Amino acid sequence: MTKKVAVILSGCGVYDGAEIHESVITLLRLDQRGAQVQCFAPNIAQMHVINHLSGEAMPEARNVLVESARIARGDVKDLREADARDFDALIVPGGFGAAKNLSNFAVEGASCSVHPDVLALAEAFAEAGKPVGLICISPALAAKIYGPGVVCTIGNDAGTSAALVQMGATHEECDVHDIVEDTQRKLVTTPAYMLAQNISEAASGIYKLVDRVLELTHEND
């Protein structure tokens, strides 16, 4: 049976949106495994716009949904249209957009909040017992979605993992090539570019995450 997977994008570009390599690797692996995919993004302004050549902020405004359409080749819907009942799983690639646009973790750290539409959709998947994959910095959202005790990884960065623990998560250090699974909650996480030194390293963990998320969708078949 073809599985349907929702993917939440957060813009386009590692410093102010969705990490492009992580997003494309995710979409590629889902396609290779025969999944039916729909991308979503919140129809909101980005926190800011970064010049990816210089790393400096630019004096302009961009929309997260419009920018996400660059990665999705135009096939992306407003997050408000997403219904967890229509899908078997959810995956959220990383990039600073997850910490700047899907949440304010980049600014508030452990005191952060998740965008209401993002939180509502992710909570719906969690409450339905459907698998979720969070990549790179996206596991920073885990404790807000699942509550205290959720098991996840962002690799081994001490400062970020400490913030996750402060939020109530149980952090497990993880190699770039591997995944961490919270079996009780059907949550799968991988460090990707929190640790990866190249695209191949990022792909190794993301492929495992996608494969495991899809395996979990078959548990009740």
Side-chain angles (χ1 to χ4, degrees):
M1 180 186 296
T2 300
K3 296 298 182 178
K4 297 181 178 180
V5 181
V7 175
I8 299 180
L9 300 175
S10 57
C12 181
V14 57
Y15 300 125
D16 58 11
E19 213 294 323
I20 296 172
H21 290 180
E22 293 177 359
S23 301
V24 172
I25 291 166
T26 298
L27 296 173
L28 171 63
R29 189 58 171 176
L30 286 167
D31 188 64
Q32 289 175 336
R33 294 298 306 274
Q36 182 178 333
V37 179
Q38 179 61 58
C39 292
F40 294 94
N43 186 9
I44 58 174
Q46 291 185 186
M47 173 184 162
H48 57 195
V49 178
I50 298 295
N51 180 326
H52 279 63
L53 187 60
S54 68
E56 297 176 354
M58 301 173 66
E60 60 180 82
R62 296 188 186 182
N63 178 280
V64 174
L65 178 59
V66 172
E67 291 300 296
S68 296
R70 294 177 179 270
I71 295 176
R73 294 176 59 86
D75 187 12
V76 61
K77 295 181 178 181
D78 189 325
L79 186 61
R80 292 184 178 180
E81 298 181 34
D83 188 332
R85 293 171 294 185
D86 296 333
F87 297 92
D88 300 292
L90 171 69
I91 297 179
V92 186
F96 276 106
K100 294 178 177 179
N101 303 325
L102 304 186
S103 72
N104 58 5
F105 179 77
V107 176
E108 300 295 338
S111 301
C112 74
S113 59
V114 180
H115 186 279
D117 294 338
V118 177
L119 185 60
L121 182 64
E123 285 181 336
F125 276 90
E127 290 167 5
K130 295 182 178 181
V132 173
L134 300 178
I135 298 168
C136 190
I137 192 61
S138 293
L141 312 180
K144 298 295 183 179
I145 298 168
Y146 292 94
V150 61
V151 180
C152 61
T153 190
I154 48 81
N156 59 18
D157 181 78
T160 308
S161 61
L164 267 61
V165 171
Q166 188 176 347
M167 292 162 67
T170 298
H171 181 266
E172 290 188 6
E173 291 195 3
C174 180
D175 182 81
V176 68
H177 304 288
D178 212 346
I179 58 176
V180 166
E181 180 180 349
D182 185 322
T183 55
Q184 178 183 344
R185 297 170 176 84
K186 294 187 179 179
L187 172 67
V188 187
T189 55
T190 192
Y193 274 108
M194 289 295 293
L195 290 178
Q197 298 299 307
N198 53 57
I199 192 170
S200 294
E201 288 189 352
S204 61
I206 293 172
Y207 275 20
K208 286 183 180 179
L209 178 141
V210 170
D211 290 352
R212 184 55 183 155
V213 166
L214 290 176
E215 286 172 3
L216 289 169
T217 67
H218 289 283
E219 280 196 337
N220 296 321
D221 288 358

